Amino acid sequence: MAFREQKKYLEALKGFERKFDRKESEEFKMFLKRDKDDEDFDTVSIRRLKELYDKYYVPPDRSKLDALFKKPNGE
């Protein structure tokens, strides 16, 4: 399960790489190198990667999509 989470977090964070501060950027580059070498992350690395994910990734608000698919009241 950790390998799937690892891939998910890394893919999601690639778009936010320009927003990272210096320390976060260095950590993320290290994570990418370790992923490229097909290493499984230890618990500390996964926790740090999840912290970065939680800090930067905001899931889209899907409640706004409901208004697009409602039928007009007049019909």
Side-chain angles (χ1 to χ4, degrees):
M1 185 66 179
F3 188 73
R4 286 186 191 175
E5 290 176 2
Q6 170 181 326
K7 289 289 188 186
K8 178 183 112 176
Y9 294 147
L10 289 172
E11 286 298 318
L13 286 172
K14 283 183 181 178
F16 299 103
E17 195 171 358
R18 67 186 178 281
K19 294 183 180 181
F20 294 161
D21 62 18
R22 183 181 178 112
K23 181 183 175 196
E24 291 169 343
S25 179
E26 290 173 3
E27 284 180 334
F28 187 68
K29 288 177 184 176
M30 180 197 62
F31 291 146
L32 289 175
K33 287 179 187 176
R34 288 178 63 191
D35 183 58
K36 186 177 178 182
D37 293 338
D38 291 329
E39 287 184 38
D40 284 339
F41 291 3
D42 56 352
T43 55
V44 175
S45 297
I46 283 287
R47 185 174 61 232
R48 181 62 185 137
L49 187 61
K50 181 156 176 38
E51 288 172 2
L52 283 174
Y53 178 82
D54 291 340
K55 180 177 178 182
Y56 288 101
Y57 184 76
V58 178
D61 184 15
R62 296 181 187 233
S63 65
K64 295 178 183 176
L65 295 176
D66 291 339
L68 295 174
F69 297 104
K70 288 185 180 177
K71 292 183 180 179
N73 290 338
E75 296 178 16

